Amino acid sequence: MPLTIRPADEQDLPGLLALYAEMHPDDTPLDAEQARQTWQLIAAQQGRTVLVADTGSELAGTADCVILPYLTREAQPIMLVENVVVAAEHQRCGVGRAVLRRAVELAHEAGCYKVHLLSDLGDPEVNAFYSACGFQPIAQGWRRYLR
């Protein structure tokens, strides 16, 4: 399967929303205008890239990458990766690995000293995937949900 990893654009919104619906099937779908307005906010953020894995006919995967400037580590930035999703029919085909490889390349290009992502520790397959992609479970994360 030919696969292109590239930054998303507004035309990718339907495909992105479909991927996110697979990740969070209980979420209320966004209406088109709300999705468009939110996309415009995302696209305007400096240092933010939503990567997509494009098969030429559909989006097979995505990852949301944000480069954050830091005043520590000699002012080297970090990258935060969120919302890594691969469509069910494209899992175990190298899509997720290709998206994360490109995310790490973007981090290198930006001079980042680390790439940080959070994952559900309760899913051994996901943990094995991230380990196979070179990520290490060396920190404990904390969350506080606000709703």
Side-chain angles (χ1 to χ4, degrees), residues 81-134:
V81 179
E82 279 283 315
N83 296 326
V84 178
V85 188
V86 175
E89 67 268 19
H90 294 287
Q91 291 178 2
R92 293 175 185 77
C93 298
V95 172
R97 186 179 298 267
V99 170
L100 286 179
R101 183 180 314 113
R102 182 63 187 131
V104 171
E105 288 171 359
L106 289 175
H108 277 291
E109 291 166 10
C112 294
Y113 81 94
K114 72 177 177 181
V115 178
H116 182 76
L117 63 83
L118 296 173
S119 175
D120 179 2
L121 292 175
D123 189 333
E125 287 185 34
V126 171
N127 295 329
F129 164 72
Y130 285 129
S131 292
C133 290

Side-chain angles (χ1 to χ4, degrees), residues 1-145:
M1 158 184 69
L3 194 65
T4 302
I5 310 300
R6 61 173 176 77
D9 58 38
E10 192 169 331
Q11 288 71 36
D12 293 315
L13 271 177
L16 283 169
L17 294 175
L19 288 167
Y20 296 149
E22 284 193 40
M23 181 172 61
H24 296 296
D26 295 332
D27 280 5
T28 303
L30 298 178
D31 67 50
E33 183 57 22
Q34 185 181 21
R36 188 187 65 75
Q37 288 177 3
T38 302
W39 175 258
Q40 289 177 348
L41 292 171
I42 290 168
Q45 288 181 321
Q46 185 175 0
R48 188 161 183 187
T49 304
V50 178
L51 292 172
V52 293
D54 187 345
T55 68
S57 60
E58 65 181 332
L59 298 185
T62 186
D64 193 344
C65 307
V66 182
I67 295 171
L68 301 171
Y70 262 33
L71 287 172
T72 60
R73 301 290 179 153
E74 298 153 355
Q76 295 175 87
I78 70 162
M79 177 181 278
L80 175 63
V81 179
E82 279 283 315
N83 296 326
V84 178
V85 188
V86 175
E89 67 268 19
H90 294 287
Q91 291 178 2
R92 293 175 185 77
C93 298
V95 172
R97 186 179 298 267
V99 170
L100 286 179
R101 183 180 314 113
R102 182 63 187 131
V104 171
E105 288 171 359
L106 289 175
H108 277 291
E109 291 166 10
C112 294
Y113 81 94
K114 72 177 177 181
V115 178
H116 182 76
L117 63 83
L118 296 173
S119 175
D120 179 2
L121 292 175
D123 189 333
E125 287 185 34
V126 171
N127 295 329
F129 164 72
Y130 285 129
S131 292
C133 290
F135 290 85
Q136 301 171 350
I138 60 172
Q140 181 171 348
W142 301 84
R143 290 183 182 161
R144 180 175 177 176
Y145 289 101

